[in-house]
Amino acid sequence: MAPRVIRGTPLSDMWLVSYLALWTVVALEGVMIGVMIMALLRVFGGLHARIEECQEAQGVVQLKQGDSLVDADHASLAGDTIKLSRLWSRGTLLLLFISIDCVPCQQLLTAFRDAYRDEQLSGWDVCVLCVGAQVRIRQIFQDKEFPFEIPVAMIEHRTLRSQYHILETPTLAIVGEGGHVISVVPRVSGRYVEMLTRRSSLQNPVTS
């Protein structure tokens, strides 16, 4: 009787099986990651909706024209005290609310810096109230070579909401004598700042 020959699986077939198995695992992992991302998005969406509900329940509304700001003292990055009433009593105050890691906010700082250098802010008082870590705030303002003549103060996010009723950044509030709010511009842009600084009167505030 002829000896029985046991044939092995060709290497090419083994490679093909391994290749298909590998891509099957990759595909399954991709599906799992996609499912996890969708689940996280739903969670974050729910949290955002919950935050908005809490704001409505607490009566937090956006600062608007005709409101009046309450005087407050803030410690500036330079180490002195910023008294808002002192600023708005000297004329019209441009009060800028920003978050330090917000890209549009950083772009707005550049617009204010350039306007100051071009002497377009004469006749205005400007103050920046910034949310974020103090080290980070100092770094950004130094990197942008922001004028030290413009007072900058760090505030907490809850102060931004509860005391000033600012719900998004950047927001610019134009404040007159007695803390009277002349205009509020959410999502203010550098173009708006350029238009504003060219005006000679605030009788009819620029619309965004």
Side-chain angles (χ1 to χ4, degrees), residues 40-59:
L40 287 173
L41 288 176
R42 284 196 295 268
V43 170
F44 289 139
L47 287 175
H48 180 70
R50 179 58 181 162
I51 290 173
E52 291 183 339
E53 291 174 1
C54 289
Q55 290 173 352
E56 292 177 357
Q58 295 172 1

Side-chain angles (χ1 to χ4, degrees), residues 57-181:
Q58 295 172 1
V60 178
V61 294
Q62 173 72 37
L63 184 71
K64 63 184 183 300
Q65 180 180 354
D67 289 347
S68 294
L69 293 181
V70 177
D71 190 19
D73 294 345
H74 296 288
S76 74
L77 295 183
D80 53 4
T81 299
I82 301 172
K83 192 172 187 63
L84 293 183
S85 61
R86 187 178 303 149
L87 295 176
W88 67 53
S89 66
R90 298 191 306 213
T92 305
L93 170 65
L94 302 181
L95 186 57
L96 179 61
F97 300 92
I98 67 170
S99 300
I100 198 57
D101 290 319
C102 156
V103 173
C105 296
Q106 295 185 18
Q107 294 171 344
L108 196 60
L109 289 179
T110 301
F112 268 96
R113 180 201 65 194
D114 294 344
Y116 181 84
R117 289 178 176 177
D118 295 339
E119 299 183 350
Q120 294 177 342
L121 294 178
S122 57
W124 303 82
D125 275 297
V126 181
C127 179
V128 181
L129 299 183
C130 184
V131 174
Q134 189 174 43
V135 173
R136 176 69 173 157
I137 293 173
R138 289 185 182 278
Q139 176 189 350
I140 293 296
F141 277 84
Q142 289 176 359
D143 290 347
K144 289 189 172 294
E145 299 180 348
F146 197 77
F148 66 87
E149 292 88 351
I150 297 178
V152 179
M154 179 188 74
I155 63 173
E156 295 183 355
H157 187 266
R158 61 184 178 184
T159 301
L160 186 74
R161 294 290 183 99
S162 62
Q163 181 172 331
Y164 293 104
H165 294 181
I166 300 299
L167 304 183
E168 57 185 326
T169 55
T171 291
L172 177 66
I174 305 174
V175 186
E177 186 177 357
H180 177 72
V181 178

